[in-house]
Amino acid sequence: MIRLLLIVLILWPAAAGAQAPDPFESGTLHDVRLYINSRDLQELRARYLEDVYVPADFEWRSIRVRNVGVRVRGLATRSAIKPGLRIDFNRYVEGQAFFGMAALVLDNALKDPSLIRERVSMAFIKRMGQPAPREAFGRVYINGVYEGLYAIVEVVDSAFLARELGDGLGYLFEHKYVDGFFGEFLGEDYAPYKLRFDAQTHRLESDYTLYAPIRELFREVNHDVDSTWRERVSWLIDLPQLMTHVAIETFLAEFDGFLGGSGMANFYLYRPLATNVHRVLAWDRDTTFQEVESPIFARASDNALMSRALRFADLRTLFLDVLQQCAVAASQDRWLEWEIYRSHELVRDAAYQDTARPFSVEEYEAAIAHLMSFAQRRPAFVLDEVAKAR
Amino acid sequence: MNTAFKHPVPRVNSDVRGVLVILFVLAAAAPASAQLPSLTAGDWLRIDFKARFQGDLRKSEAPIRGDEDGGIDIARRRIGIEGRAARVFEYEAEYELGLHQWRDVYLDYRQFTTVQVRAGMFKVPLGLEENTSATNLDFIYRTRISARLAPGRDRGVSVHGRILNDRVTYEGGVFRNDGENARPSNSARVFGNRTSAARVVAHPFRRSNSVWSSLQAGGAVTRSDVPLGFPAVRARTVFGASFFDSDVWVQGRRQRTGLEARWRPGRFSIQSEYIRLTDERRGQSVEDGDLSPLVAQGWYISGTYGLTRKRHRLGRIEASARYETLTFGSGNHSEEPSTSARADTVLGNSDRVTTVGVNWHVNRWLKLQANVIRESIARPSMGPMPGSVNFLSRAIRLQLSL
């Protein structure tokens, strides 16, 4: 009896401390296996420019989720050779989920020779206290064949919002890149707004309910009268949150974000129920870490919303404050350097074996070196720029 | 919401309604001698001309597929000939005027009772009700299993006959495909290739004078191969609305199995039937392996009771009732059901139909039928009325056979 008690006491802490498996455990290189009928796989690759869904089985560790829906995703990163994939667990089985998630993205990082920008950027956004999808690195196998190194990315949906914001009941829109949209008023018709802001929730509601607040946002953003601009726009978007979002993007030298060079890109708009105030959520960060000396006001003047907002002293101060906080957060304990180094160490072998990526091993190593240099030099540059701007 | 019943004025084609009324009056008043002519040439040739017209009035709480006439449908307009030739041959040729389609077109070599040979286009021998002429049906519409799972007509050759002192009838044949009921209206869907079929029916008390003399029971089977694709065999309600899309990859053997029984003692009759259709799904799993077969099956039991005796001045009136089911799904039920085209456990659906009705055989040419039909869809979200499990339909048929 005493022996039994001893065994229980010894095993108890181990059992209590055993962690539940986490598909976003950042210190692990995960293996994701997809099983797709060979005809479907052929079709998926042949029609990679379309959003064709095929059925598949999804396997992570010993967990196999049957009858999931898989389609190729992405805009500029669409590829038949190394397809970025969206996994919908509930497409063919009502209510099916994987660790509570209805869907998952396997980001092919096709524009990123380092393959780690996406996850490191999202980790930094989270470090700055902003909501960001959970991400991890994964080796993706389709029918047993290694497809390459991917970022496993949580989708932005109601469950994500509920966890990150404590409210997943509102209106969520994914910004779809159509053309160079810099925040100008697109007219009275809802069509151009529907084209650019794809409703992810409340899809069955009327265009008026869904899109009137977005139309009003861009009407007010482009309003001529400065004296009422702040008040009217504040009814439609959380301006301090926007300043924070863009400042983090700016610190990361993002070229394809809210202040994207070709127009606004890669973000979600979220509007809680019973309010018209939107907020911005980050998405797809594989074009960050561009130039170390990327100016802190780069392209801000091109964007109707940011150019007007930065005229207000408190918002401009907030923008600079967040930039400064980013610099501190990145350099403190060499956090950003370590994050890049740790990620590189984790994925290096898998990256070398990833023959589907459009970059050579030398380009991969050069990209990692650039990221390390960015992590070392960007904070100082930004702090200097912020000081000059104050 | 019952949109069909709420329609204030059905978009009735008044010409059609007028034709139906005139037909009814003429047929009811027709002298007993009135019938289409026959041509004969001694014992060597006989040609009987025949015609059949059916008009339906239909209403349903659920949508009616192809209901362009607002509830009125000319179900059949058929003309044809049948008869004998050279003493040993029988033949039939029937043409559907509405669809511009030949129906039964065959020649039957019937010199011997035990072995007879039929060639042409005729019904594949599976299904008691499906092999009953539309003229003689106890209900306006065939059961779901007869309309959807039984093969129907196709081109082929069969050997048939009666053996064991007429106590057993048999038919076995080979057909070009697996029948018109399985053929797609959408060319992207697949159906069976060359089909072999066999049916055996026992009439154990045929020679007795007991009440059991009309009892018959039998079974049938068909086999064919289905090429890769989505099957054309569809789940439809009585009025043709889909309740399961059959968007499931199949490839391999298609097999139908049928069991049947009928008993008609006096004024009372009862019959029942079961049909199961399975399609193999070879190489269709996500790992290119085999999946459990796609299964469609159903059964029915029906009965009639004569309310009037033979030669009654009002004609023959009988009450009828039927209960039937048709279910689509898969052979495996161990996993969470899925709508994936490659799911081992398919999220299926079923339709349970209860029909009650009255048949009025006004005279030998004219029949009036009225049916009330209640359908229940197990998963209404896949059916014609996503918010409602049950829905009612009504139909009246006027049939003129000459």
Side-chain angles (χ1 to χ4, degrees), chain A residues 35-40 55-57 64 66-67 91-93 96 143, chain B residues 228 249 283-288 335-343:
Chain A
Y35 299 93
I36 303 174
N37 184 279
S38 53
R39 285 182 62 251
D40 289 346
D57 280 4
R64 184 154 178 156
R66 296 190 187 277
N67 300 310
R91 183 166 181 85
Y92 302 119
V93 179
Q96 181 165 259
N143 298 341
Chain B
L228 177 64
W249 292 108
Q284 297 312 308
S285 82
V286 293
E287 294 186 78
D288 291 357
E335 293 177 4
E336 192 72 23
S338 168
T339 56
S340 162
R342 301 193 185 281

Side-chain angles (χ1 to χ4, degrees), chain B residues 14-314:
Chain B
S14 57
D15 293 342
V16 174
R17 178 174 279 177
V19 168
L20 292 177
V21 171
I22 291 166
L23 281 174
F24 178 77
V25 172
L26 286 176
S33 59
Q35 63 181 60
L36 289 176
S38 293
L39 296 177
T40 56
D43 284 348
W44 289 95
L45 181 66
R46 179 185 174 92
I47 304 173
D48 294 330
F49 295 91
K50 62 177 187 175
R52 186 167 72 221
F53 300 92
Q54 289 178 342
D56 294 351
L57 284 169
R58 310 178 297 183
K59 283 198 176 183
S60 177
E61 293 173 346
I64 299 176
R65 191 161 178 254
D67 184 31
E68 290 82 16
D69 293 320
I72 286 192
D73 179 42
I74 300 295
R76 290 182 177 85
R77 277 176 285 173
R78 292 183 187 173
I79 55 171
I81 56 170
E82 61 184 9
R84 282 179 167 268
R87 293 179 180 162
V88 294
F89 290 104
E90 285 187 3
Y91 63 86
E92 182 176 357
E94 191 177 51
Y95 187 76
E96 171 64 53
L97 295 170
L99 298 173
H100 306 290
Q101 255 180 14
W102 286 101
R103 309 298 290 179
D104 289 319
V105 182
Y106 62 82
L107 186 66
D108 212 344
Y109 176 69
R110 308 186 65 129
Q111 186 167 9
F112 309 105
T113 308
T114 51
V115 181
Q116 303 176 344
V117 180
R118 181 183 290 182
M121 185 160 70
F122 54 96
K123 286 185 174 174
V124 177
L126 187 141
L128 171 62
E129 187 192 46
E130 178 63 12
N131 281 274
T132 303
S133 164
T135 315
N136 301 321
L137 292 176
D138 296 329
F139 298 86
I140 294 175
Y141 302 108
R142 294 185 193 276
T143 56
R144 302 297 75 223
I145 59 169
S146 296
R148 295 292 157 191
L149 306 187
R153 291 180 182 82
D154 215 316
R155 292 180 195 175
V157 179
S158 78
V159 177
H160 61 105
R162 287 176 287 171
I163 55 175
L164 300 177
N165 211 11
D166 287 355
R167 286 193 175 87
V168 173
T169 58
Y170 73 90
E171 183 173 359
V174 178
F175 297 83
R176 190 176 67 166
N177 293 110
D178 71 332
E180 63 189 357
N181 292 348
R183 210 160 294 153
S185 53
N186 168 359
S187 61
R189 291 188 176 264
V190 298
F191 51 100
N193 295 329
R194 194 168 67 178
T195 301
S196 55
R199 181 182 180 210
V200 177
V201 180
H203 309 258
F205 310 110
R206 174 170 261 172
R207 296 291 179 183
S208 85
N209 291 321
S210 72
V211 293
W212 300 103
S213 63
S214 62
L215 178 68
Q216 66 175 68
V221 64
T222 72
R223 278 187 182 174
S224 49
D225 281 330
V226 181
L228 177 64
F230 288 172
V233 173
R234 313 293 293 277
R236 302 281 192 203
T237 62
V238 173
F239 287 143
S242 173
F243 62 91
F244 175 78
D245 286 336
S246 296
D247 289 346
V248 177
W249 292 108
V250 299
Q251 185 177 36
R253 175 178 288 178
R254 166 172 289 177
Q255 180 164 319
R256 290 179 176 84
T257 310
L259 297 171
E260 59 183 69
R262 183 165 67 192
W263 186 38
R264 293 194 286 204
R267 293 162 72 174
F268 172 70
S269 81
I270 184 170
Q271 76 179 49
S272 184
E273 208 172 334
Y274 166 80
I275 297 178
R276 177 184 169 95
L277 182 151
T278 58
D279 282 338
E280 285 185 337
R281 296 191 286 163
R282 288 186 197 154
Q284 297 312 308
S285 82
V286 293
E287 294 186 78
D288 291 357
D290 298 344
L291 293 169
S292 67
L294 182 68
V295 178
Q297 60 187 338
W299 61 274
Y300 71 87
I301 183 164
S302 68
T304 61
Y305 182 77
L307 300 173
T308 58
R309 294 192 177 278
K310 285 181 181 174
R311 302 184 191 286
H312 193 279
R313 61 187 173 85
L314 287 177

